[in-house]
Amino acid sequence: MFNIIIHCNPSELDNIKEKGLQYKESPRFGFNEYDVIIPLTNEVDKLHNSLEDEEFVQHFGINYNNVNCIELV
């Protein structure tokens, strides 16, 4: 199964926790970046393909200004 990973600045961590999103400390950057894990379902795939990146992360309650990168893994 694939996931969409939203790489976020540490300043977004409290918000990520508050929203109940699945996340982990970045394996590459440690506590300097947190990776929000969004399982790729048909619904999420449709959202990702129909929305701009800023709108996509806002859908999950994430502040786009705190996003470093979005990727499919």
Side-chain angles (χ1 to χ4, degrees):
M1 174 177 225
F2 290 99
N3 295 308
I4 293 180
I5 306 296
I6 304 171
H7 303 275
C8 298
N9 296 330
S11 58
E12 191 67 14
L13 184 58
D14 287 339
N15 186 42
I16 292 167
K17 289 178 179 179
E18 187 177 296
K19 301 292 182 198
L21 298 170
Q22 182 183 354
Y23 71 95
K24 65 179 181 174
E25 188 176 285
S26 170
R28 183 172 179 196
F29 298 107
F31 62 87
N32 290 317
E33 182 175 271
Y34 290 91
D35 299 341
V36 176
I37 304 157
I38 308 291
L40 186 62
T41 63
N42 286 337
E43 180 183 335
V44 169
D45 189 38
K46 286 177 187 175
L47 279 174
H48 186 253
N49 289 320
S50 66
L51 299 174
E52 296 293 325
D53 285 349
E54 185 172 359
E55 295 170 314
F56 179 74
V57 299
Q58 286 175 347
H59 174 79
F60 295 99
I62 297 171
N63 182 337
Y64 185 72
N65 293 325
N66 291 323
V67 172
N68 298 325
C69 178
I70 302 169
E71 67 179 330
L72 177 67
V73 293

